[in-house]
Amino acid sequence: MKTRNILAAALVSTLAGCAANDYGKMSQGSGVPEALLATNCKVVSCSYDKLKDRVQASANDINHFLAMGGSETRTIQYTWVSGSNRISIDVYSTALYGSWTFVKSAEVYIGKEMVAKVAGQVDRIVGSYNTVAKESEKIEIVSDVISIEAAQRIAEADYKTVTIRFYGKNGYKDVELPREHNLINVVNLAKSS
């Protein structure tokens, strides 16, 4: 029963967020075509900055069901702000057992071809506590900006062929994208500028 209530609340908040977007107003201020906003913002998170007349769009590969339990399930996230010709990328390395890997940078591969280097800011966050493992999640997030072209290649690739290689103090760790995503919708909006 409790899970049903949580799912219902999540659904209502998602639908309310979609209904709250005035795509005509967002388009007028930002210059992003209204039809493009209406199509792409239905499946990603879009917000409008009334002070600077900008649209911000974000998408990731979160598993909503597991995330409701407090776990970090994202592996990759894109964020774009209208007027920019680049996309912000965040890649997530999450570990439950052991110590921090002290990630410094990451590379994104499609097959064996490196298509993006992510070497900007690194954030380390202590995630939720797992009572079975008696450990807290150790989440390391590497952020940077990449070209729209590189972002599009990653977004259009079969997720099973995309690997993120994290470099840390003890070498590297490879993480394959675990699930489908809507990253292409952020790219579609970014290509409008």
Side-chain angles (χ1 to χ4, degrees):
M1 185 69 169
K2 187 176 179 180
T3 304
R4 256 191 220 155
N5 291 341
I6 293 170
L7 288 173
L11 181 61
V12 167
S13 67
T14 300
L15 293 174
C18 293
N21 282 332
D22 181 346
Y23 298 124
K25 187 175 183 178
M26 290 169 75
S27 175
Q28 270 186 332
S30 69
V32 179
E34 183 175 350
L36 199 60
L37 289 167
T39 302
N40 291 285
C41 287
K42 286 180 183 173
V43 292
V44 300
S45 172
C46 289
S47 61
Y48 182 63
D49 179 350
K50 292 184 270 190
L51 297 177
K52 296 189 177 183
D53 291 320
R54 295 186 302 195
V55 170
Q56 178 175 298
S58 292
N60 55 52
D61 67 341
I62 195 168
N63 178 320
H64 293 286
F65 182 73
L66 293 175
M68 285 191 305
S71 296
E72 177 59 76
T73 63
R74 291 174 290 183
T75 312
I76 189 168
Q77 177 169 295
Y78 283 177
T79 303
W80 173 76
V81 176
S82 59
S84 173
N85 63 355
R86 297 174 68 80
I87 291 177
S88 295
I89 183 173
D90 301 312
V91 290
Y92 296 74
S93 173
T94 304
L96 186 56
Y97 298 101
S99 62
W100 296 96
T101 55
F102 294 99
V103 169
K104 296 176 185 167
S105 65
E107 297 168 340
V108 183
Y109 288 80
I110 299 173
K112 293 186 176 188
E113 180 187 1
M114 186 183 80
V115 293
K117 184 161 180 71
V118 186
Q121 177 178 327
V122 179
D123 291 316
R124 290 178 181 82
I125 301 168
V126 175
S128 66
Y129 183 76
N130 184 304
T131 54
V132 175
K134 294 186 174 30
E135 292 273 347
S136 292
E137 287 181 318
K138 294 157 196 75
I139 306 161
E140 297 182 272
I141 308 160
V142 187
S143 305
D144 209 341
V145 291
I146 60 174
S147 69
I148 293 171
E149 295 76 21
Q152 182 171 356
R153 289 191 61 201
I154 296 164
E156 288 179 338
D158 181 342
Y159 76 93
K160 295 173 189 169
T161 66
V162 178
T163 303
I164 302 168
R165 174 165 283 186
F166 292 93
Y167 289 97
K169 71 174 185 176
N170 295 320
Y172 67 87
K173 172 179 118 175
D174 289 345
V175 176
E176 296 177 356
L177 291 191
R179 66 191 66 85
E180 293 184 9
H181 48 70
N182 294 319
L183 300 176
I184 194 62
N185 297 92
V186 173
V187 173
N188 292 340
L189 290 166
K191 287 170 67 178
S192 70
S193 64

